[in-house]
C-alpha cells in the first residue's frame, strides 16, 4: 500500500527534522560487503550483563507475535523517507522475560557492524527486529534476513543484518559512534556528530 | 543477490590530502586482522555510508575509517598495523667540524 502523501494538502504534510530532505526511493548505505546469512544459520542472541544468553532461531523468531509498524525514517546523510511499512517483532517481546537491569545496549550485526543505544529506547513500542519491508521479504541490501528498526533515532542506529544485543551497565559506543558520530542520534535535535 | 559496490583506494587520495602533506595513495599498509600488506590504493573503499570505510582486500577487515564533519575530520587507523610512506631520500649536508 502506498502512503500517498502527494494527495494531501501541503499544510498537512508532516514536517521533516532539521536539515533533512524528502526522498521517495530507498537509498542503500553500506560500510562493507553484504553478509550472506540464510535462515538456516541465522540466529538472534540477547546477552545480559551477567552473561546469560537468550537465543532465537529463524523459526522461533518468526513464530513470535508480529507487529506491522508504519514509520518515517531519517538518515544522517540527510534523506528522510515517510510512511515506510515493516513487519517484525517488538523488542518489548524479545526482552520480555530477559533478566536484566542493564541501562545500555550494544547491537551487533553479521559482518561486524555495531551501534549503541540506551535500553529505554529499545522499549515502549519504539523498536523492532524486522524481517519484511513493503510487503516482501527484507532484501539483503536493506539488512535482510532481519534488521533493527528504531525510527525515532537516525537510521544508522537501525543496524542491518542484526545478530544480537549485548546488554551492559556502561555505554559502549558502536561503529559510527567511535568515528565522530553522535552517541544518541536524535534527528529532531539534529544530533549528527559528537558534540552536537 | 545485490553486492554493494566499492571503489579502489585511489579514491582516498583527495579526502586524505585534506589531512596530510604526503601522498598516502602510494603508501603501503599492513592489515591488523590478517597481516596482509599492500598498497593503500588496493583497499576496497565503501563510500555509500556515513563515512569512508576502507577494507583489506584479503579479509575485508576495516583498515581505515574517515568521517568528515563540518568541524573536523575523524580518522581511525586502528585496523592498520602501520603505514609505510615513500619519501624522498634524506638529504645529508656537511656537518660543522
Ligand atoms: Zn586483512
Amino acid at each position: 500500500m502506498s502512503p500517498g502523501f502527494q494527495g494531501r494538502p501541503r499544510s498537512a504534510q508532516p514536517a521533516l527534522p532539521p536539515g533533512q530532505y524528502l526522498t521517495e526511493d530507498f537509498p542503500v548505505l553500506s560500510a562493507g560487503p553484504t553478509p550472506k546469512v540464510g535462515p538456516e544459520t541465522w540466529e538472534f542472541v540477547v546477552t545480559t550483563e551477567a552473561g546469560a544468553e537468550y537465543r532465537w532461531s529463524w523459526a522461533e523468531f518468526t513464530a513470535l507475535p508480529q507487529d506491522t509498524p508504519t514509520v518515517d525514517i531519517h538518515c544522517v546523510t540527510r534523506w528522510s523517507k515517510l510512511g515506510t511499512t515493516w513487519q517484525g517483532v517488538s523488542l518489548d517481546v524479545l526482552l520480555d522475560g530477559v533478566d536484566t537491569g542493564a541501562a545500555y545496549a550494544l547491537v551487533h550485526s553479521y559482518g561486524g557492524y555495531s551501534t549503541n543505544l540506551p535500553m529505554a529506547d529499545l522499549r515502549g513500542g519504539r523498536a523492532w527486529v524486522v524481517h519484511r519491508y513493503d510487503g516482501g521479504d527484507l532484501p539483503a541490501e536493506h539488512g535482510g534476513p532481519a534488521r533493527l528498526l528504531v525510527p525515532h533515532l537516525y537510521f544508522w542506529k537501525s543496524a542491518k543484518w542484526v545478530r544480537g544485543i549485548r546488554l551492559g551497565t556502561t555505554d559502549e559506543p558502536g561503529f559510527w559512534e567511535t568515528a565522530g558520530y553522535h552517541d544518541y542520534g536524535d534527528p529532531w535535535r539534529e544530533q549528527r556528530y559528537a558534540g552536537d | 543477490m545485490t553486492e554493494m559496490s566499492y571503489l579502489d583506494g585511489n579514491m582516498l587520495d583527495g579526502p586524505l590530502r585534506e589531512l596530510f602533506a604526503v601522498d598516502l595513495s602510494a603508501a603501503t599498509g599492513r592489515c591488523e586482522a590478517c597481516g596482509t600488506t599492500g598498497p593503500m590504493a588496493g583497499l576496497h573503499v565503501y563510500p555509500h555510508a556515513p563515512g569512508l570505510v576502507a577494507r583489506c582486500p584479503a579479509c575485508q577487515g576495516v583498515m581505515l575509517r574517515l568521517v568528515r564533519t563540518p568541524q573536523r575530520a575523524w580518522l581511525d587507523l586502528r585496523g592498520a598495523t602501520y603505514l609505510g610512506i615513500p619519501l624522498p631520500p634524506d638529504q645529508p649536508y656537511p656537518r660543522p667540524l
Side-chain angles (χ1 to χ4, degrees), chain A residues 28-36 76-77 111 140-141 156 175-176 178-181 193-194, chain B residues 1-4 46 48-53 55 60 62 65 67-70 72 74 76 78:
Chain A
V28 174
L29 272 72
S30 191
T34 300
K36 294 169 176 61
V76 75
T77 60
E141 70 266 28
W156 90 75
F175 187 85
W176 290 120
T178 54
Y181 280 92
Y193 307 113
Chain B
M1 187 74 200
T2 304
E3 190 51 79
M4 282 305 298
Y46 290 81
H48 304 291
L52 295 175
V53 179
R55 292 176 178 269
Q60 304 301 328
V62 177
R65 299 186 297 164
V67 170
R68 180 67 160 91
T69 76
R72 55 181 59 82
W74 297 73
D76 176 1
R78 87 182 89 168

Side-chain angles (χ1 to χ4, degrees), chain B residues 31 34 56 59:
Chain B
C31 174
C34 78
C56 168
C59 77

